Structure formats: C-alpha cells, structure tokens
Amino acid sequence: MEDPFLIVKRDTERSISEMNGNLERWKKLASGTSSVAKQERAAVKGRIISALESTEGDILDLQEAVTSIEQDRHRFNITDDELRNRKTFIKMAEDQCGTVRSALSNPQYSSVVNMNIDRYTAAQQANNRSNEVFIENTMAQQQQIMRDQDEQLNIVGQSIGRLKQIGTAIGDEVEDQNQLLDDFYSDMGQTERRMQSVQKKVDKILEKVDSKKQNLIIGILLIIMIVVVILFFST
C-alpha cells in the first residue's frame, strides 16, 4: 500500500504549481484597464485563493502525519533522512503559501488595480453620461415631433370638419333643388292635363260651329291659353 504522505505530497505539489501559474497571470492582469481584464483578474484571484486554502489544508495533514511518525518511530519504517526530507517539503510548501498570500496583499498590485478601476469607472461614468445626454436629446426630439404631428392632426381634423359642413350644406341644397324640380314637374303635369281637357272641349265646340265661328273661337281660346300660361308662370 502506497504511503498516504506521498499521495498528499503529490497533490500539494500540483496545487502549488497551479497556484504559482495563476499568481503570475494575476500579476500580469494588474495593468489591464478593460472590463474583460478586470473580470478575468477577479476569476484568477478566486482560483488562487481556492488553491491556497486547499494547499494549506494539505500542509496541516502532512504536519500531522510527520508528528505521528515522530511520536511512534517503531511503528513506521521511516528513516531519519526521509523524515527530514518530509519536514523540508512541508516548510517549502508553507513558504510558498506565505509568498502567495503576501503577493495578493501587496499594495503594488492593489494600487495598480485600484488606479485602473478608477480610470475605468471614470471612463464608464463619462460614457454613461454621454449616453444619457444622447437619450435625453433623442427623447426631446421625439416629443417635439409628436407635438408637431398632433398640431398637424388638429389642422387636418378642422379641415375635415369644415369639409363635412360644406358637404352637408351642398346636400341640403341639392334636396331643395330636387323638391323644386318635383313641384315644377307636378305643376307641368297638371297644366298639361288641363290643356288636354281644354283641347278636347275646343274640338267638341269646333265640331258644332261653322268655320268663321271656329276661327273666332280659336282666337279667343288662344288668348285665354296665353293668359292662363302668363298667370301660371307669374305665380
């Protein structure tokens, strides 16, 4: 069965290697000003802290294992040289963790990050203000356009109202003219019937009198007809 110390040691070495790689990446990202660099730096720092806590937990396990060996040397087949090597590894791992923690709290990188954040924040605020001004101007223009459209619609509505009144007046006038025409045609019909009746009576009279009397009667009747027509149109 493999020694548990060696298994934990390999895990610790792998964690330290990954932690150092992420630390170098985190340092390089300190000069980044973009939001992407800021987000990546935060993600890398999170991985570093996670690996650091895991490594420190492994170191505690390794220290407990070494303490157990020292307390019962007869039980474990571990030489003095091997024991010293294990203590040396633990010390190296502790130093590595301390170095990483110091780097994370180093003002040199924190100030760079804060300065970049301040610059980014100022730029973002300026950009936001520019966007707000643009939006306000656009909204003001849209409102002015809407007011102009409302005024134009009011003018069109008034014009339609006037056209409707004119149309109504024209319709009333047409109805009056139609009524007058109906009355005229009715009067004409009555006059025609009267003329026909008179004509029939004249024909009957003419049949009973001689030619001279007929001419006289015709003349009289013509005069009567003319008078009737004049009286009709004068009314």
Side-chain angles (χ1 to χ4, degrees):
M1 181 178 178
E2 187 176 5
D3 189 344
F5 183 93
L6 298 178
I7 297 175
V8 176
K9 179 183 177 182
R10 284 197 297 271
D11 292 340
T12 303
E13 289 174 338
R14 183 170 56 254
S15 295
I16 290 174
S17 177
E18 293 177 358
M19 187 168 54
N20 288 332
N22 285 325
L23 181 63
E24 292 302 319
R25 177 61 180 166
W26 181 77
K27 290 178 180 179
K28 291 179 180 179
L29 291 171
S31 59
T33 59
S34 65
S35 59
V36 175
K38 178 184 175 183
Q39 293 174 356
E40 184 179 358
R41 179 179 170 83
V44 171
K45 184 176 181 179
R47 291 196 295 270
I48 294 172
I49 293 175
S50 178
L52 182 60
E53 292 175 349
S54 176
T55 302
E56 289 175 342
D58 291 339
I59 291 173
L60 291 176
D61 293 338
L62 293 176
Q63 288 175 339
E64 290 178 359
V66 170
T67 301
S68 298
I69 292 172
E70 289 179 333
Q71 291 175 352
D72 193 359
R73 296 294 301 275
H74 298 291
R75 180 182 175 186
F76 301 98
N77 187 20
I78 302 296
T79 63
D80 293 338
D81 291 338
E82 178 63 21
L83 186 59
R84 281 193 297 272
N85 290 335
R86 294 187 179 188
K87 289 182 178 180
T88 301
F89 176 77
I90 292 173
K91 182 66 170 59
M92 180 274 296
E94 289 176 339
D95 292 341
Q96 287 290 329
C97 290
T99 300
V100 172
R101 285 196 176 276
S102 297
L104 291 177
S105 60
N106 192 336
Q108 173 185 356
Y109 300 107
S110 299
S111 61
V112 172
V113 173
N114 292 333
M115 181 176 62
N116 291 333
I117 292 175
D118 292 340
R119 290 177 180 174
Y120 172 78
T121 302
Q124 187 67 27
Q125 290 176 349
N127 186 51
N128 292 339
R129 180 55 186 163
S130 177
N131 291 336
E132 290 176 357
V133 171
F134 174 76
I135 293 173
E136 290 175 356
N137 292 335
T138 302
M139 291 181 64
Q141 292 175 359
Q142 292 295 329
Q143 292 175 353
Q144 183 61 41
I145 292 173
M146 292 177 65
R147 285 193 293 269
D148 294 340
Q149 291 177 345
D150 291 338
E151 292 178 358
Q152 293 175 358
L153 288 174
N154 290 333
I155 294 173
V156 172
Q158 294 174 357
S159 299
I160 292 174
R162 288 193 294 270
L163 290 174
K164 182 178 179 180
Q165 293 175 354
I166 294 172
T168 301
I170 292 174
D172 295 339
E173 182 66 22
V174 170
E175 290 180 358
D176 294 339
Q177 294 296 328
N178 289 334
Q179 184 63 41
L180 291 174
L181 289 174
D182 291 339
D183 295 340
F184 176 76
Y185 290 139
S186 177
D187 294 339
M188 287 294 292
Q190 293 177 0
T191 302
E192 184 178 359
R193 286 191 296 272
R194 291 174 182 173
M195 291 294 293
Q196 290 176 353
S197 176
V198 171
Q199 183 66 39
K200 289 179 181 180
K201 291 179 180 180
V202 171
D203 291 338
K204 289 180 180 181
I205 294 173
L206 290 176
E207 290 176 355
K208 296 178 180 180
V209 298
D210 54 14
S211 58
K212 291 182 178 180
K213 292 181 178 179
Q214 289 180 354
N215 293 331
L216 178 62
I217 293 171
I218 291 172
I220 294 172
L221 291 175
L222 287 174
I223 293 172
I224 293 172
M225 288 179 62
I226 293 171
V227 172
V228 170
V229 171
I230 292 172
L231 291 175
F232 172 78
F233 282 106
S234 65
T235 57

